[in-house]
Amino acid sequence: MTPVASRRDVVKYALGAFAGAAMFGAPKASADGLRLIDFAVRLVSPEQIKAAGYNGALVYVSELRPGATFDFKPVTREYTDGLIANGLHVVSCYQFGKPGWPTPSDFTRGYEGGVADAQTALRLHGAAGGPDSAPIFFSVDEDINADTWKSTASQWFRGINSVLGVPRTGIYGGARQCRWAIDGGVVGQSSTAGYRWAWQTRAWSGGVREPAAVLFQREVVTASDPGAIIDGVSVDVDDVLAPDFGQWDLAR
């Protein structure tokens, strides 16, 4: 996900905030140490990603928001073909709006917004070569509370579900947001037993891990932290936690 001001103000919360959480340092299942990147500043070529030792990328199946100049939204078929040709994994994610720049977060658009966003995501995912069995991760890119989840964000996800179906719906967010989505039944299951389509960021997670997450964003580009650098470009880094983490090239 792209860097936002809200990421810099990570809110700590008690480790007992929800059941089933584990500390960052606790043992976690992994897929042979695979690491992906996601883009925060500028697109990095597949060749550079491979040379830097990463195993793939999360790509954006969302339009470019007004005023933004990123070159990684929406992802193109040429780019995903390049990733695949280099033996790299591809995972789809969606984020259009963001707080105050200038559109609000996508989840604020409720059920009908979820329908529209899922339709856009599905169209761009298919145009980029994404298979109809792969999930798409939808972003909750701020630290919302339980009331906001129940009243607004959960309805957005139900709109997404009406288009993609629950089995192909995923979430990006902090530990609490991922757990609410799992408990609410709005995200699907990985084919790896015990895992759900949850991509957890360390931002807003307060040192807590969601044990059912398939991906963990452990390096997040902010104004004070450049994240990982590939050929002079800052990127976020994501640990793969399950053999089936939503990659395009896995038959389901």
Side-chain angles (χ1 to χ4, degrees), residues 60-96:
Y60 285 87
V61 291
S62 48
E63 300 286 2
L64 190 65
R65 73 178 65 90
T69 58
F70 301 130
D71 62 355
F72 50 79
K73 292 182 181 181
V75 69
T76 66
R77 179 64 180 263
E78 179 183 12
Y79 187 75
T80 60
D81 282 349
L83 291 170
I84 294 166
N86 278 274
L88 299 172
H89 296 295
V90 184
V91 178
S92 290
C93 58
Y94 181 94
Q95 183 182 10
F96 175 74

Side-chain angles (χ1 to χ4, degrees), residues 26-250:
K28 286 284 292 181
S30 66
D32 300 321
L34 297 183
R35 297 179 303 159
L36 310 180
I37 65 165
D38 65 275
F39 305 107
V41 179
R42 183 164 60 82
L43 198 67
V44 179
S45 76
E47 292 78 14
Q48 291 166 343
I49 295 171
K50 184 175 183 178
Y54 296 98
N55 305 103
L58 290 112
V59 299
Y60 285 87
V61 291
S62 48
E63 300 286 2
L64 190 65
R65 73 178 65 90
T69 58
F70 301 130
D71 62 355
F72 50 79
K73 292 182 181 181
V75 69
T76 66
R77 179 64 180 263
E78 179 183 12
Y79 187 75
T80 60
D81 282 349
L83 291 170
I84 294 166
N86 278 274
L88 299 172
H89 296 295
V90 184
V91 178
S92 290
C93 58
Y94 181 94
Q95 183 182 10
F96 175 74
K98 94 185 312 177
W101 190 32
T103 53
S105 293
D106 299 327
F107 70 82
T108 64
R109 288 157 32 82
Y111 185 93
E112 294 303 325
V115 170
D117 291 341
Q119 290 171 340
T120 298
L122 191 60
R123 172 175 57 83
L124 294 173
H125 172 85
D132 60 11
S133 61
I136 300 174
F137 293 85
F138 290 80
S139 174
V140 178
D141 204 13
E142 56 183 289
D143 189 25
I144 64 173
N145 60 29
D147 287 343
T148 301
W149 172 265
K150 292 176 184 177
S151 66
T152 309
S154 65
Q155 298 308 307
W156 181 61
F157 273 97
R158 295 197 186 285
I160 293 166
N161 294 161
S162 74
V163 176
L164 290 183
V166 171
R168 292 189 62 194
T169 302
I171 184 173
Y172 165 91
R176 294 190 299 173
Q177 291 78 33
C178 289
R179 174 44 52 181
W180 294 331
I182 292 167
D183 287 346
V186 296
V187 294
Q189 300 184 39
S190 164
S191 66
T192 304
Y195 290 85
R196 302 296 184 93
W197 298 136
W199 170 21
Q200 183 193 346
T201 177
R202 70 177 300 142
W204 328 301
S205 288
V208 175
R209 289 287 286 271
E210 168 48 57
V214 293
L215 295 166
F216 177 64
Q217 188 183 56
R218 64 178 173 85
E219 291 191 43
V220 185
V221 175
T222 67
S224 59
D225 184 352
I229 307 294
I230 302 177
D231 194 35
V233 178
S234 293
V235 297
D236 300 328
V237 177
D238 307 276
D239 293 332
V240 173
L241 305 176
D244 179 5
F245 52 93
Q247 65 270 46
W248 288 9
D249 56 311
L250 181 67

